[in-house]
Amino acid sequence: MMRLLRSTAVAVLLCGVGVGAASAAATQDGNLLIDGRFDTDQPDFPEFWSRSSTTNIVYDRTGGPEGKLAAIGLRGEGPTTGTLSVRQLDLALVAGEPYKLSGYIRTQGFQSRSAGLILHNAGWVSSSGITKLPADSDWTYVERTFTLFPSTDNRYGVAMYAIDPVGEIYFADVKLEALSAQGRANSRSQWTSIASPKLVPIAPLLNRIPHDDPRLTFRLFGSLPAPREAYDCVVAVGGQSQAARTLPIKDGEIRVRLEGLPRGDYSLEAAIRHRETQQAVLRRTFAISIVDIPAVDSSGVKPLNSLVSELLDQPLRKTSEDQTFSFVNPRDGWIFVAVTTEVAAPELAVRIDDGQPVITAATDRHEAFRELARGGHRITVGGSSADARLIVRSIPEIFDYPPCTNSFVRENGPYDWAFTKQHILPAVTTFNGGNLRGDALIEAQTRGLKWLASYNVEHADDADTMRQKMERHAGMTQPQYAGFTSDELFFGRSTLATYAAALWGLNNPDDRLVYTWIVGQPSIVSLHTDFMSACLNASRGRGRLLFEAYCHPQADEATAARHLDQKVGETMRKFNAFVPNAAAGTGIIFGSFNQIPIISLEHNPAVDFKYYLDMQVNLIANSPDFAGLATTGYWGTYYGDEELVRWSFKLMRHYAVEGRKEMLSHQYGFKYLPGFLANGDFADGLNEWTVSAAAKDAIRPAAVAGYGKNCQGRWGAGSAGDTVCVLARQDGQPNRLSQIAHGLQVGKAYCLQFVTADLNDVVQHKHNPRRYGIDVELEGAEVLAARSFVHVDRRGRHRTQDPDHLGKINLHRLVFRAKSATQSVVFHDTAAVPGEELILNFVQLKPYLE
């Protein structure tokens, strides 16, 4: 973030001190354990916990108390199981001080020679914790308070363990807390980096310090060699520290006053210095700017929802003369401009601030997106038609990753520029990755849209190496890009410290955009506040934190709403708690990927993911938590089927452009649980199905571990998709399996999807892709052949390092028009070879968006 800095002016700076410091030893709730709530988002298992087995130790994101917490389970079959353990090590604690270990435990048919939740010393010589466990119990809160026993180098670990267990035991919300002042002050967790001193700018953004109120707030985190009262804060501008004033630091919040500085760019130097020895324990230099922040008269700004505000809705006269209007953009950001008219006059031209026309008679839909500075603007319409209106709205940045990149399931058709213009451009401002080339790139640039490259964050890099790679990246050097996105960072990994250091030192002379993908929620105030501040201050305050809001379906709509509030709503609340008004630099990016067998969030065939995605965007459009949100949109366009891609940007148009509040799904009759078919994953055996087996057990339910995740691409779904129906082809008559769908609307289009595979191929990790012999009959329905297909997954012949994925599937999609309120759905294995055992699941029937 370094620019050519102005050093001719020097200010005497006043450092005021307030509250705001927090312990460097623990997370905000005092827990010495990292991720004791097991709140990992995308990884298969919480990052800072090591497990002894991937077979007998499972992770369930919503399996904890009341379905609100994650849980870790240990499952066993007795003496052959051995010792199962989940551990977090490298805790530096204080022997002789009191501690409390607590958590929630649930058991079912559980027995073990020894088991529990314990704190142990080096070598596990001594331990203390919860070890008396019932065989069967619902979620029960347990705690144990004890005086800590000695350990080599004061090193300890926490373990959830069971020796030769039978049945299962689950753990949730595990905490280790120091109960004494001595323990709290001197206990340390794995996060050694959080103990080092950090001086973090909090507000305002460094390059947006208002000239009429030039104040800057820092927070000091971490441990100092001596009590904080022994240190001063020394701050100066332009490298002349002799002109600075030094004041004592009391509680960690430092307020810097910058009166007397002319508007411009400066270098601000800050140091934390011991008063007696004059030794500095921390030095930081920041690029700052004193600027005019335009005053905004918000009386003409009409909020439509949490994302969109109406700035103008003005009737136009039919005239060849120019009509000029004024409006106020309430923030630096995007606006939507439209002239609503059936037929535009040939001479139509709409200009903003006397610039080049943004809308002409040839402009698609006679509308445009533009990025404008905060403050007053002028818009001129020339050549207006009768009965036309001028619409101007403040909107969020709308994000799409990646443009013009086809689906791996080629039967979806091309996602080219023609597709993009028809289905995506009505609701997009910013592209990331993908393939914008030639005429597509020129047209995107003409429309004022932005294109960002993708930078791959190498977790092994040191800060200087990472910074140099960023500076050489195409997003920083090639003219077609407006910047880059960093892919990707996790609140649960210590890489954040390295990345933040690289970003603070980044040389970005052209002020290219730097956006940062982030997974999870902040919890460690020192590390995470510094990281967030670095991301939001990047690009002279135009940096973005792109939160990966990839939401997993839940059993019913009410549970799904609670899940969304916890995952998306709580994330925004935490962002704003860590950094004031973080929403103004945050992007909530949803997952629009549902493509079996590549990668799919559509885990549950009973749920219509279109409705669930609507719930997600509806949340941010209505909740005040997201007021002023900078960015929203999607990751995974090329991993969505054509229906979901089209629907995704209809949602963005509805909420983020038109400013609607009501669910769009209600207009189309979509429901969270359509309810046409039941037990589509055979999780309940063969219930709800009519079975006509050619021989005994020729149709049977089965469980195939890992099938849903590995072969079908159900991402982050645990064991969803591992229950199947097996059809064993006999000589003679085929097997038949059927169910009647109820509640269809005559004339409406529906989509039936199902997945088939060869059982032996899957179990034996055999790569033998082909068209399997399971088909479906829809008697009386009008099948829409142009939208229907059978996709044969042929990927991965040489995946010797990942054999679990080698059993290949067929994805069947039939789009049909209902001719009756009921529809018989009949599966059969007529085309199978006698002796083949084929599997069927993910039977899904939902309305189709035509």
Side-chain angles (χ1 to χ4, degrees), residues 312-540:
L312 274 180
D313 184 354
Q314 180 70 40
L316 296 171
R317 305 188 315 273
K318 182 180 180 180
T319 177
S320 59
E321 297 179 354
D322 286 350
Q323 301 175 70
T324 300
F325 309 92
S326 297
F327 68 92
V328 170
N329 191 19
R331 61 176 180 176
D332 294 326
W334 289 86
I335 66 164
F336 167 76
V337 182
V339 174
T340 62
T341 180
E342 291 293 329
V343 179
E347 62 272 21
L348 175 67
V350 179
R351 292 178 170 85
I352 300 174
D353 296 332
D354 299 325
Q356 292 296 313
V358 298
I359 298 173
T360 68
T363 304
D364 288 347
R365 299 175 297 277
H366 307 121
E367 59 186 44
F369 300 102
R370 286 297 185 275
E371 193 174 24
L372 291 184
R374 169 189 167 103
H377 295 274
R378 190 172 60 259
I379 189 165
T380 302
V381 181
S384 173
S385 303
D387 301 321
R389 298 189 73 86
L390 173 65
I391 306 294
V392 181
R393 301 186 188 120
S394 169
I395 66 168
E397 178 181 37
I398 307 175
F399 195 89
D400 174 35
Y401 178 98
C404 298
T405 306
N406 290 337
S407 169
F408 285 88
V409 176
R410 300 302 185 192
E411 291 85 352
N412 281 303
Y415 295 174
D416 54 13
W417 187 244
F419 178 91
T420 300
K421 288 179 68 172
Q422 182 176 359
H423 300 297
I424 295 177
L425 288 192
V428 73
T429 67
T430 305
F431 295 113
N432 183 203
N435 297 292
L436 285 180
R437 300 286 187 267
D439 292 342
L441 176 59
I442 294 171
E443 184 170 355
Q445 292 173 334
T446 301
R447 290 172 178 261
L449 308 182
K450 295 186 181 298
W451 188 25
L452 304 175
S454 292
Y455 161 67
N456 180 29
V457 177
E458 295 288 348
H459 292 175
D461 285 344
D462 58 64
D464 196 49
T465 301
M466 192 178 292
R467 176 187 59 78
Q468 292 175 18
K469 287 183 177 180
M470 290 182 187
E471 292 171 356
R472 295 193 300 264
H473 193 268
M476 285 292 205
T477 59
Q478 295 185 14
Q480 68 269 33
Y481 295 118
F484 65 78
T485 62
S486 296
D487 188 16
E488 61 189 338
L489 281 299
F490 294 74
F491 278 119
R493 294 179 184 171
S494 57
T495 314
L496 295 186
T498 303
Y499 180 80
L503 209 53
W504 283 122
L506 184 66
N507 182 32
N508 184 6
D510 296 326
D511 296 329
R512 301 272 186 124
L513 298 177
V514 179
Y515 290 6
T516 304
W517 292 100
I518 184 64
V519 177
Q521 296 178 347
S523 59
I524 301 166
V525 287
S526 59
L527 180 68
H528 293 165
T529 306
D530 185 49
F531 162 75
M532 293 177 64
S533 180
C535 294
L536 298 175
N537 276 289
S539 309
R540 294 179 63 82

Side-chain angles (χ1 to χ4, degrees), residues 687-814:
N687 286 342
E688 306 293 343
W689 293 94
T690 299
V691 177
S692 299
K696 186 178 181 348
D697 294 330
I699 298 179
R700 67 183 191 274
V704 185
Y707 173 59
K709 170 188 173 183
N710 298 326
C711 300
Q712 296 186 3
R714 299 197 208 183
W715 180 81
S719 60
D722 291 354
T723 51
V724 302
C725 176
V726 178
L727 283 76
R729 185 66 167 98
Q730 309 295 305
D731 287 322
Q733 291 297 315
N735 295 297
R736 297 176 72 83
L737 185 74
S738 64
Q739 192 174 150
I740 303 295
H742 296 272
L744 307 183
Q745 294 182 29
V746 175
K748 190 169 183 176
Y750 294 87
C751 178
L752 173 68
Q753 286 197 124
F754 59 95
V755 175
T756 61
D758 184 292
L759 177 62
N760 291 326
D761 287 354
V762 172
V763 171
Q764 297 173 14
H765 311 305
K766 184 178 180 181
H767 187 270
N768 184 24
R770 62 196 185 282
R771 174 68 162 83
Y772 306 115
I774 292 181
D775 293 289
V776 67
E777 296 173 357
L778 299 175
E779 185 177 357
E782 177 191 349
V783 175
L784 306 181
R787 288 299 188 190
S788 304
F789 60 78
V790 179
H791 173 74
V792 179
D793 183 15
R794 301 185 182 277
R795 298 169 302 144
R797 179 181 299 276
H798 304 295
R799 297 184 75 163
T800 56
Q801 302 300 316
D802 202 5
D804 290 343
H805 296 259
L806 290 182
K808 300 287 97 176
I809 66 101
N810 290 175
L811 173 66
H812 297 246
R813 183 171 80 163
L814 279 85

